[in-house]
């Protein structure tokens, strides 16, 4: 009957509520740090110019951000592009050497470059103000979700629906 269909939902609401509650302090700290970093970069754009960013790393970063904009941050294309950034940043590929994934996505590269030109990212800044602002917004959405889930958990607890088990 009905109790078999309701239990998984109530169980997931309870688990999600617990996880979001446990993450609340860390989310607050992340939001504060992102805001501080963003302000530092706005106040002093040279603050991020520590060390050298190779042209290959900048290009890989540019393509990863453009891939996020075109395909969405959860897409396989974006994941592959960010994997390339990670490889270049770790020194696995020296400057000027292209990865297999770059070659595989070469036909998409023109679209990446077009998106990169129209994007508001600063491609020689690894952590740029736009990325920080997007992170602050995402954390805000998680905080709102935590409130919604807590309200739903409380509603379920008061109705004793959650106590029904198969």
């Amino acid at each position: 009957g009905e109790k078999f269909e309701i239990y998984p939902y109530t169980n997931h609401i309870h688990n999600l509520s617990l996880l979001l509650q446990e993450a609340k302090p860390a989310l607050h700290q992340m939001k504060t740090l992102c805001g501080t970093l963003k302000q530092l970069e706005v106040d002093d754009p040279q603050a991020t110019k520590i060390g050298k960013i190779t042209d290959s790393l900048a290009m890989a970063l540019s393509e990863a951000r453009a891939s996020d904009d075109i395909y969405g941050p959860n897409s396989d294309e974006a994941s592959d592009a960010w994997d390339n950034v990670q490889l270049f940043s770790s020194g696995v590929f020296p400057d000027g050497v292209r990865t297999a994934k770059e070659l595989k996505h070469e036909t998409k590269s023109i679209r990446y470059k077009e998106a990169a030109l129209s994007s508001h990212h600063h491609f020689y800044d690894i952590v740029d103000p736009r990325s920080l602002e997007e992170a602050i917004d995402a954390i805000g959405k998680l905080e709102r979700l935590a409130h919604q889930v807590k309200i739903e958990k409380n509603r379920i607890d008061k109705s004793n629906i959650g106590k029904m088990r198969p």
Side-chain angles (χ1 to χ4, degrees):
E2 187 175 311
K3 64 183 177 182
F4 292 101
E5 296 166 14
I6 293 174
Y7 179 70
Y9 175 78
T10 62
N11 190 39
H12 290 312
I13 288 292
H14 279 91
N15 289 337
L16 183 56
S17 179
L18 178 65
L19 288 171
L20 288 167
Q21 189 63 34
E22 290 173 355
K24 189 176 180 177
L27 288 172
H28 177 73
Q29 287 180 319
M30 285 185 266
K31 192 174 184 180
T32 300
L33 286 169
C34 286
T36 301
L37 283 169
K38 179 183 169 203
Q39 194 57 50
L40 286 170
E41 289 191 38
V42 168
D43 291 346
D44 180 11
Q46 294 302 311
T48 63
K49 307 296 186 254
I50 302 167
K52 181 181 186 252
I53 296 176
T54 65
D55 288 340
S56 294
L57 177 57
M59 178 55 85
L61 187 61
S62 163
E63 292 199 7
R65 287 180 172 152
S67 180
D68 277 351
D69 291 344
I70 293 170
Y71 300 105
N74 297 317
S75 67
D76 289 341
E77 292 85 357
S79 179
D80 288 348
W82 283 107
D83 286 347
N84 275 348
V85 174
Q86 198 68 31
L87 291 172
F88 277 108
S89 70
S90 66
V92 171
F93 293 100
D95 197 36
V97 176
R98 292 161 54 205
T99 67
K101 288 180 182 175
E102 279 185 304
L103 294 171
K104 176 183 165 189
H105 295 295
E106 190 170 326
T107 57
K108 297 176 185 173
S109 184
I110 292 170
R111 284 184 283 171
Y112 288 155
K113 288 177 182 126
E114 288 172 356
L117 289 173
S118 65
S119 174
H120 300 324
H121 286 290
H122 304 279
F123 292 106
Y124 280 88
D125 293 341
I126 302 226
V127 180
D128 68 344
R130 178 178 166 196
S131 296
L132 292 165
E133 186 62 37
E134 289 171 352
I136 291 167
D137 290 345
I139 292 168
K141 289 177 182 179
L142 281 173
E143 290 170 337
R144 283 190 299 284
L145 177 65
H147 290 296
Q148 294 166 341
V149 170
K150 187 173 183 176
I151 291 166
E152 179 69 345
K153 178 190 169 300
N154 290 341
R155 184 189 68 81
I156 290 168
D157 289 348
K158 285 179 184 172
S159 67
N160 291 321
I161 293 172
K163 294 189 168 74
M164 292 187 221
R165 292 184 181 246

